[in-house]
Amino acid sequence: EANQAGVPLLLLTADRPPELRDNGSNQTVDQVKAFEGQVRWSADLPPPSAEAPARLLLTSVDHAVRAAMGTPPGPVHLNLMFRDPLAP
């Protein structure tokens, strides 16, 4: 609906890293392809680590907000990877 109505929307999803996808691991629904064709822009962000520079996350968030508010406005998707499954 946000796509059709041109409503800016920042969609955040949690996912596992690529090496744990497509092999039967828990919580590995393909978040990237789930919104394909419905978002203005999407990014698959790496799992948190000391090696991942903070500017990567900040730049991605900045780009996502600009894409959501751009012309035409609409939804964007940031897929956040975590090595461990999310616990309740």
Side-chain angles (χ1 to χ4, degrees), residues 7 20-21 26 30 33 43 51 53 60-61 74-75 81 88:
V7 174
L20 295 176
R21 295 180 189 169
N26 291 332
D30 191 337
K33 292 180 184 167
E51 293 80 36
S60 297
V61 170
M81 291 188 256

Side-chain angles (χ1 to χ4, degrees), residues 5-88:
V7 174
L9 176 70
L10 179 58
L11 176 64
L12 302 175
T13 56
D15 204 355
R16 304 298 294 280
E19 66 270 13
L20 295 176
R21 295 180 189 169
D22 298 323
N23 67 5
S25 293
N26 291 332
Q27 300 180 0
T28 58
V29 173
D30 191 337
Q31 303 288 348
V32 177
K33 292 180 184 167
F35 302 103
E36 199 170 80
Q38 299 301 316
V39 295
R40 304 292 183 267
W41 182 77
S42 66
D44 213 10
L45 298 177
S49 73
E51 293 80 36
R55 72 177 178 269
L56 172 67
L57 176 61
L58 295 174
T59 300
S60 297
V61 170
D62 181 58
H63 189 83
V65 170
R66 284 187 285 124
M69 303 296 287
T71 304
V76 297
H77 177 215
L78 291 176
N79 189 45
L80 311 170
M81 291 188 256
F82 295 94
R83 296 218 176 276
D84 295 324
L86 297 178

